[in-house]
Amino acid sequence: MALAVSLAGVGVSAAGRAAQSLPSRCSPGQARQRMAWAMGRRRRPPRAAEILPDRTLPARRIGMPPQAHCRAATDPAVAALLTRHGCLAVLRATYDDATQSLAVTVGVAVLPGVGAANASGRALPGGNDLRPGVRTVPFRRTVVARFGNRQRQLSLDRVAGPYLVFVTVGYADGRRRQPGANPYAKSEMLSLADGIMGWVASHLGASPPPPRCPGAPAC
């Protein structure tokens, strides 16, 4: 009898392990619930290191300040717009290029949802090469120590899910904006800024993976 009970216990345990290894399916309601949970996580301000990598393309991250209030991290026209749409915070980092001659500050504004981000993006002030956007973040005793707001030459912005990505680029040696810069320098700046912005935006704007059962925190 003891042997039979022992074997029965082994059988039950094996059956349990087999059941756990079988693929399980979510009901439509469960799938929606878990997708909503995943999207909810993305609405919370992420850590800067998660979205502003140490190195991306030909750029190297010099530093990241603490997350900032939307009004402090952007130009007045943009700050008023972001505040009106419920901006939660702005995460920033400053990079230099491979030659250490150009500096780039990236800013990610965290909005309450995709609708708020799209509405903000449509209402952003226009401009030519330099439009209102993110304020620079220089770091003392580094190659970007002289990259201030007056050194901004070009700026770009893009909506990515519930975020707005801002990029501004200029010379790292302290040169102020020079209207009518030579086409080669402008091309280099645009390529660097667009490359960094594209990397950040593609990761932020990616859809959450399909929900899995079991194991998701919302299960």
Side-chain angles (χ1 to χ4, degrees):
M1 184 178 293
L3 179 61
V5 170
S6 176
L7 292 175
V10 172
V12 170
S13 176
R17 286 195 298 271
Q20 290 178 355
S21 66
L22 291 174
S24 57
R25 298 179 180 177
C26 299
S27 69
Q30 289 174 320
R32 287 193 296 270
Q33 181 184 14
R34 286 163 193 153
M35 185 63 75
W37 176 86
M39 291 302 295
R41 284 194 64 194
R42 296 177 62 196
R43 292 192 184 100
R44 295 197 295 267
R47 292 181 298 175
E50 296 174 349
I51 58 175
L52 300 171
D54 180 62
R55 186 175 292 275
T56 173
L57 300 175
R60 175 181 58 127
R61 191 182 70 208
I62 301 300
M64 291 186 301
Q67 75 175 35
H69 191 280
C70 305
R71 287 189 177 276
T74 56
D75 292 317
V78 173
L81 173 66
L82 293 178
T83 301
R84 190 161 62 248
H85 286 90
C87 180
L88 303 174
V90 174
L91 310 176
R92 290 179 293 174
T94 296
Y95 295 79
D96 71 346
D97 71 336
T99 67
Q100 297 188 339
S101 61
L102 299 178
V104 178
T105 291
V106 184
V108 177
V110 184
L111 279 299
V114 175
N118 287 333
S120 299
R122 289 192 297 268
L124 284 173
N128 296 320
D129 294 336
L130 185 63
R131 66 191 72 172
V134 67
R135 299 177 70 81
T136 63
V137 186
F139 290 89
R140 297 177 61 186
R141 293 187 290 276
T142 70
V143 295
V144 301
R146 302 175 65 188
F147 181 50
N149 292 316
R150 293 182 177 181
Q151 281 66 47
R152 294 179 291 184
Q153 305 286 326
L154 299 169
S155 61
L156 301 171
D157 50 71
R158 182 182 301 180
V159 177
Y163 307 97
L164 277 176
V165 183
F166 297 94
V167 178
T168 189
V169 58
Y171 293 107
D173 61 7
R175 272 179 280 177
R176 295 190 179 185
R177 184 168 189 268
Q178 301 173 350
N182 70 76
Y184 176 78
K186 180 178 178 180
S187 176
E188 288 291 305
M189 291 182 188
L190 282 173
S191 176
L192 178 64
D194 190 59
I196 295 176
M197 182 178 68
W199 193 98
V200 173
S202 65
H203 285 70
L204 286 173
S207 299
R212 298 176 60 226
C213 300
C219 290

